[in-house]
Amino acid sequence: MAAGTHPSAATGNAWNLRAAAASVVERPAQRPVRVAGLAGYVDPLGVRPGQVLRIHLNAPAAYKIAVGELGHKALVQPEPDDDGDRADVRWLASLASAGAARHDVHPGSYAWMDDPGIDRPATISAWVRLGALPATTETSSWAAIISQMDYPDRCSWALGVDADGRPRCYAGNGARHDRVFWCFAEVSLRRRLDEWVHLTATIDDDRVRLWVDGTVAGEGRAARPARQGGATGQPLRIGAAGESGVADHLLDGDVSDVALFSRPLNADEVLALTKNRATAPLVEVGRESLVAHWPLRERRGTHIQDVSGNGLTGVLVNAPVLNLPGPPSSPAAGRAGYDPDADPRRGGCIRFSSDDLVDCEWPAAAELVVPDDADSGTYYVRVTLAGADDPVELPFVVVRLTPRRPRSVALLFATFTWTAYARRATDGVHVPGLMSSAYTRNAGGRLFFNLGMRMPLPRVQPFRHRTHLRDATLHQHLVRPERQTEAWLAEEGYAYECITDAELDAEPALLDRFAALMIVGHNEYWTDRMRDGVETYLRGGGKVLCLSGNTAFWRVTYDPRTRVLETRKTSLGDGLDDAWLPPERWAERWHTDGHPGGQWSHLGRPPSELLGLESLGWIDSGDETAYAPFTICAPDHFLMQEPEKVPLEDGAFIGTRSHDGPAVSGYEMDGLPQALGKPALDPEGLTILGHADHGPRFVTHWGVQAGYGADLILWERPAGGIVFNAGATNYPGALAADPGIQTLTRNVLHYMGVGHRGPRQPSEKRRLQEDVCPQ
């Protein structure tokens, strides 16, 4: 199909785009949230030839789907040509649907078990640390800590808190709701948010007592149960209650050590539970009458365990946060040398949130079978509603783990960084469940630790060319840097294949098949397997071109089965990064894999040990002072001379032009460790080729010298391997526009032995052995 042809004309001979078979997602019934307008996502972001890409949509009307391969030529022009870029699409397949594909989201985490077959308990005990009170949307707004009720017709019992912060409990008979059976505490927790509170409700015949931290805080009436010795017919939920047959009244807070007893505990027993602070994994009072006990100390998984011996295992819905310390934990937990497995007072809890969501679970609207001969590169799905001209554009990457040409470079797409940033609001509209990012907070005011990929990623756009902070700054750090680099490699004739973070995480040894690894743009979020894999590759003689800023900054973990990225960021409390976990909450930084998260440099494995540079900070003031070129300080170095002489502007500079701002160093930048006041690298094999000097207008800067910008280095590592690191997110944007950057990059690729179709001959001085591509 001709480039720029309207999608409706696509023939789809090789690319098989088909309507997906109808599917039913089984989940506990839950309160829906309507998603207005057109939205969608693809799964997976990186797909191999022969595999199936699934396209998931929320479309309120009939729609058309078109699949296109993104072009290259417009991205390598000296001046940005956004219209030309959009026109330079090779359309591959299309599909029309005469009907809508309307789907809601169902945010909110909680624990659920179908009718557990128990009577109404006589004592309900739980620890809770509220993050936020339920919103006042009606006179009876409340959130459940634990419940077995379905308002209004089948209401048995519940323990919760209302919009005024008052603990409350309901003791009904399983019949229609009767407000007379609510008991309210005479105290409010409004001023005790973020503090652990022990709540207990005891039901003795027709009387209820509600205890707060071991003291009676309210009394009320209880209904006589309609029957004994059988099920109530209601699901039991922790962190939610039922209303009109669906989970609702979702809690925003942490819950620990929930226990149910068949008899009312006395005052001494309630006080003992309070003073114990859930230190012991088993309750120490009332054991003979224990109906169920969920300590909620789960470190990982999708279930909660009942340790009473009665087998009341619960299912976790929407991935609440696990592996958190409980009520007995000290604020000093998590400091240097802390081992959670060796801390007998750590306890445990689960964090529930009314807007947790890691998978929209929308049925696939269409499936795309990628042909076996598909080129590796950037593609996208374009979805347009009938009668509308505002499409949703969903990029994906065709990846190849084995190169087809000798001496190929592996171009790494930073899909984990895409996911971390992608759901920051783009238009001020807040949809619960669709706002999770590494830079937003949940309804309880806590950082999102679990970020799903099977959800819309609105900031991941193939053509976006402007920063979210300043329209004056032409920069987009998601998708575009990878596209710019791919376009330049393609137009220059280099042998390359594309991979994503997920492929590198799954199989780090794939790098051994390539002549070099190219990291571009803004590859900020790295797993252990990614970092270890690159380290192993380098130690074995591998070569890395790092044309990225803020590289390998945060440690994350990734579950390829659920497509969930876990990130737990820590702040040092020095005022420079106070958006993250402060030192008094460092005990929360342990991931579900049992290892701490945070900055790699704070975990004893700074990026400079791997790639030579570390993050200096970021700047985006929206004017030219946010950018600077490289001043070359080693003009006679062989990379500046062979096989091409690098042209210097005014005899000293390269990178004075870029598609993403007026110069190469800008937005986020990395520098040598000594620029941050840290010990310098071993100088053996290290060459500083250039450096960028900025003005003082950084948003955040960790350097010891104001205005210190990106460093440009070649590091022939004593530990093995070769690294060329340019330390700037804007470097890919300069590949199209700046002759000095273009020539230097060609020299580096030549030095690293990357295959090229051009006539240049290898340098006798710096010839590298050219290994044949493994088959």
Side-chain angles (χ1 to χ4, degrees):
M1 179 182 222
T5 304
H6 191 275
S8 62
T11 59
N13 292 330
W15 289 71
N16 182 5
L17 179 63
R18 64 201 181 199
S23 61
V24 177
V25 177
E26 294 186 0
R27 69 163 77 87
Q30 190 167 346
R31 178 191 64 188
V33 172
R34 177 56 53 91
V35 179
L38 179 63
Y41 56 96
V42 295
D43 181 34
L45 287 174
V47 60
R48 305 177 196 179
Q51 290 187 333
V52 174
L53 181 83
R54 291 175 176 82
I55 303 165
H56 303 259
L57 300 175
N58 172 65
Y63 57 88
K64 292 182 179 180
I65 301 175
V67 178
E69 181 180 13
L70 295 174
H72 301 145
K73 294 187 181 301
L75 292 181
V76 295
Q77 300 303 313
E79 297 296 331
D81 183 4
D82 292 345
D83 291 338
D85 188 23
R86 283 189 172 274
D88 189 18
V89 174
R90 185 171 70 96
W91 295 106
L92 304 166
S94 66
L95 178 71
S97 172
R102 167 64 76 182
H103 302 293
D104 299 322
V105 291
H106 300 81
S109 58
Y110 57 98
W112 175 88
M113 61 199 73
D114 205 354
D115 182 6
I118 60 174
D119 296 325
R120 186 184 71 190
T123 298
I124 309 160
S125 171
W127 284 91
V128 63
R129 178 169 59 182
L130 296 174
L133 297 177
T136 305
T137 57
E138 54 187 60
T139 56
S140 59
S141 293
W142 68 288
I145 298 167
I146 181 171
S147 72
Q148 199 171 10
M149 67 183 302
D150 183 12
Y151 176 88
D153 294 324
R154 297 186 295 172
C155 299
S156 182
W157 57 273
L159 178 67
V161 61
D162 67 18
D164 293 322
R166 292 186 302 168
R168 52 156 56 181
C169 68
Y170 186 86
N173 57 9
R176 187 169 180 81
H177 177 264
D178 189 337
R179 62 185 305 170
V180 74
F181 299 130
W182 277 107
C183 174
F184 295 89
E186 296 178 357
V187 298
S188 172
L189 304 182
R190 181 177 294 277
R191 297 184 180 275
R192 297 191 62 185
L193 298 182
D194 202 31
E195 293 181 17
W196 282 109
V197 179
H198 184 236
L199 301 180
T200 309
T202 56
I203 306 170
D204 189 359
D205 197 18
D206 62 350
R207 304 302 300 170
V208 177
R209 284 186 170 182
L210 185 56
W211 311 67
V212 177
D213 286 336
T215 300
V216 176
E219 298 190 52
R221 289 178 53 187
R224 294 188 179 276
R227 57 178 179 171
Q228 293 287 331
T232 66
Q234 291 300 298
L236 187 148
R237 301 176 180 91
I238 298 176
E243 182 165 336
S244 300
V246 302
D248 204 334
H249 302 285
L250 298 153
L251 182 75
D252 289 297
D254 304 342
V255 182
S256 178
D257 210 50
V258 177
L260 308 178
F261 301 84
S262 61
R263 67 170 175 84
L265 300 186
N266 60 41
D268 290 340
E269 292 171 318
V270 172
L271 186 60
L273 285 177
T274 301
K275 288 184 175 181
N276 178 264
R277 292 188 66 82
T279 301
L282 299 175
V283 295
E284 299 178 351
V285 299
R287 289 189 181 180
E288 83 293 343
S289 60
L290 197 61
V291 175
H293 179 207
W294 300 279
L296 303 183
R297 295 186 175 198
E298 279 71 20
R299 299 285 183 91
R300 61 186 62 85
T302 58
H303 292 74
I304 58 169
Q305 300 302 317
D306 169 25
V307 298
S308 71
N310 294 326
L312 300 182
T313 299
V315 176
L316 293 172
V317 178
N318 282 336
V321 177
L322 307 180
N323 202 18
L324 294 174
S329 180
S330 164
R335 302 298 177 89
Y338 176 75
D339 180 1
D341 294 328
D343 181 2
R345 292 188 57 83
R346 186 175 192 268
C349 72
I350 294 180
R351 176 164 298 156
F352 300 103
S353 176
S354 61
D355 57 353
D356 275 341
L357 190 68
V358 294
D359 188 341
C360 285
E361 297 183 329
W362 294 344
E367 295 177 339
L368 177 70
V369 181
V370 178
D372 291 336
D373 62 351
D375 285 334
S376 180
T378 318
Y379 297 73
Y380 85 119
V381 174
R382 181 177 183 227
V383 185
T384 309
L385 293 180
D389 57 2
D390 185 20
V392 164
E393 298 169 328
L394 310 172
F396 66 95
V397 185
V398 172
V399 301
R400 285 188 177 270
L401 309 189
T402 300
R404 294 165 295 173
R405 290 178 286 175
R407 298 177 288 114
S408 289
V409 63
L411 176 59
L412 181 61
F413 282 63
T415 50
F416 291 167
T417 299
W418 296 4
T419 303
Y421 279 88
R423 281 185 291 271
R424 299 169 80 173
T426 57
D427 53 11
V429 177
H430 183 101
V431 180
L434 298 185
M435 303 304 297
S436 57
S437 80
Y439 301 88
T440 50
R441 291 178 178 264
N442 64 23
R446 302 290 182 222
L447 293 167
F448 284 103
F449 288 166
N450 299 322
L451 309 176
M453 290 184 173
R454 289 178 173 141
M455 302 169 63
L457 303 174
R459 287 194 176 276
V460 177
Q461 299 181 19
F463 300 108
R464 185 163 180 170
H465 192 46
R466 292 183 183 271
T467 176
H468 64 279
L469 292 178
R470 295 285 190 272
D471 283 343
T473 303
L474 294 175
H475 179 80
Q476 166 59 18
H477 71 124
L478 308 180
V479 186
R480 193 166 182 88
E482 290 92 335
R483 286 201 60 213
Q484 289 168 325
T485 309
E486 179 199 349
W488 186 82
L489 289 171
E491 292 300 306
E492 287 281 324
Y494 286 101
Y496 71 93
E497 305 288 0
C498 301
I499 62 173
T500 76
D501 290 342
E503 280 74 48
L504 183 56
D505 175 78
E507 188 189 351
L510 69 86
L511 296 178
D512 294 335
R513 305 169 196 148
F514 291 87
L517 168 67
M518 184 177 280
I519 305 165
V520 300
H522 191 176
N523 204 310
E524 183 178 355
Y525 292 82
W526 283 43
T527 65
D528 290 335
R529 290 175 59 83
M530 291 172 64
R531 196 188 190 287
D532 293 346
V534 174
E535 176 69 34
T536 300
Y537 174 63
L538 284 169
R539 286 183 178 274
K543 306 165 191 72
V544 174
L545 293 86
C546 187
L547 314 181
S548 165
N550 201 20
T551 308
F553 190 75
W554 296 109
R555 177 187 182 265
V556 297
T557 48
Y558 175 64
D559 185 339
R561 181 184 60 85
T562 62
R563 306 267 203 269
V564 172
L565 191 73
E566 183 179 6
T567 175
R568 306 196 184 197
K569 298 182 175 184
T570 54
S571 165
L572 293 180
D574 54 9
L576 295 178
D577 55 358
D578 286 347
W580 319 126
L581 289 173
E584 60 269 21
R585 298 190 80 102
W586 274 9
E588 297 184 11
R589 66 187 176 125
W590 265 259
H591 285 227
T592 51
D593 70 348
H595 300 287
Q599 294 181 27
W600 279 108
S601 59
H602 296 167
L603 298 173
R605 302 185 68 188
S608 58
E609 291 184 356
L610 181 69
L611 300 172
L613 304 181
E614 295 190 39
S615 178
L616 285 163
W618 65 285
I619 181 171
D620 195 342
S621 60
D623 56 41
E624 292 190 5
T625 66
Y627 299 88
F630 285 120
T631 302
I632 297 301
C633 51
D636 295 328
H637 190 269
F638 72 87
L639 284 181
M640 302 298 296
Q641 300 291 332
E642 299 179 11
E644 302 176 61
K645 183 177 178 62
V646 176
L648 302 182
E649 188 167 327
D650 295 331
F653 305 108
I654 65 171
T656 61
R657 303 169 183 85
S658 172
H659 278 196
D660 291 331
V664 64
S665 178
Y667 192 60
E668 302 215 16
M669 291 147 283
D670 294 357
L672 289 160
Q674 59 264 34
L676 290 90
K678 299 180 180 182
L681 297 172
D682 184 340
E684 181 182 353
L686 177 65
T687 301
I688 303 172
L689 299 171
H691 169 70
D693 286 310
H694 290 258
R697 298 180 63 180
F698 278 74
V699 176
T700 297
H701 193 268
W702 297 290
V704 295
Q705 177 183 334
Y708 194 103
D711 281 314
L712 181 70
I713 66 167
L714 176 70
W715 189 25
E716 296 171 305
R717 297 174 7 125
I722 299 171
V723 174
F724 173 81
N725 198 334
T729 57
N730 282 2
Y731 194 102
L735 279 173
D738 191 85
I741 292 294
Q742 294 166 346
T743 306
L744 176 60
T745 308
R746 285 194 295 265
N747 288 354
V748 174
L749 289 168
H750 164 72
Y751 170 51
M752 293 186 172
V754 174
H756 188 269
R757 71 185 178 198
R760 292 190 303 276
Q761 298 300 314
S763 163
E764 291 298 325
K765 181 180 179 181
R766 283 289 175 177
R767 182 193 300 269
L768 292 186
Q769 181 178 354
E770 298 179 354
D771 298 327
V772 176
C773 174
Q775 300 299 318

